[in-house]
Amino acid sequence: MYEKLLKLLDNSYSPYSHFRVSAIIVMNDGHEFSGVNVENASYGASICAERSAIVSAISNGYKKDDFKSLYVMCGDSDNISTCCFACRQVISEFFDSDCIVTCFDKNGNYKEFSVSELCPYPFSEDDLK
């Protein structure tokens, strides 16, 4: 997965932060969806790679219970970075709490986290009742 994420970084549109991020989601049926961060001069209108990939899967007809794993690379850092909190909230909506999120640095080092480790107290549909 490392090589795919590394190549996908070329698609990132990050002229402001110069912090390229790529993500690949694997669905339960083996299908993959990719995403990159897409920045905007109005920073709030930017979208992260993880949410880009999730939205792509949903747009292609996949449902909440279809998500298996997520791989993320922050390609301009020697650090293994985790998903931002906005992405963690969206991840917690679509992935089961025991699904694995694998975060890579640009050198291929990685750490694995369960969704529940990344987002131990998600806001969920139960909070809306």
Side-chain angles (χ1 to χ4, degrees):
M1 197 58 71
Y2 168 75
E3 294 295 330
K4 288 181 182 181
L5 289 166
L6 194 60
K7 181 168 177 32
L8 189 57
L9 287 172
D10 292 338
N11 296 346
S12 169
Y13 180 75
S14 48
Y16 307 106
S17 71
H18 306 288
F19 190 76
R20 300 173 302 152
V21 182
S22 60
I24 298 173
I25 292 174
V26 179
M27 309 308 287
N28 287 329
D29 67 3
H31 195 91
E32 296 180 1
F33 289 93
S34 60
V36 296
N37 59 322
V38 179
E39 295 180 349
N40 190 282
S42 172
Y43 292 126
S46 298
I47 187 164
C48 298
E50 299 92 327
R51 287 182 285 146
S52 174
I54 290 169
V55 168
S56 181
I58 295 297
S59 296
N60 279 279
Y62 285 87
K63 305 295 183 214
K64 189 173 183 172
D65 295 329
D66 295 333
F67 291 78
K68 180 179 179 183
S69 56
L70 170 63
Y71 301 85
V72 181
M73 177 183 286
C74 296
D76 296 307
S77 175
D78 289 321
N79 299 319
I80 297 172
S81 300
T82 59
C83 309
C84 76
F85 276 86
C87 286
R88 291 179 195 204
Q89 176 60 42
V90 175
I91 290 165
S92 73
E93 177 81 14
F94 292 101
F95 288 80
D96 290 339
S97 62
D98 61 344
C99 287
I100 298 299
V101 177
T102 306
C103 300
F104 287 86
D105 69 10
K106 67 180 182 182
N107 301 309
N109 301 305
Y110 66 92
K111 289 184 182 176
E112 294 182 338
F113 304 92
S114 68
V115 170
S116 62
E117 288 174 318
L118 286 178
C119 194
Y121 304 105
F123 184 83
S124 72
E125 62 185 284
D126 293 335
D127 294 300
L128 298 173
K129 296 177 181 171

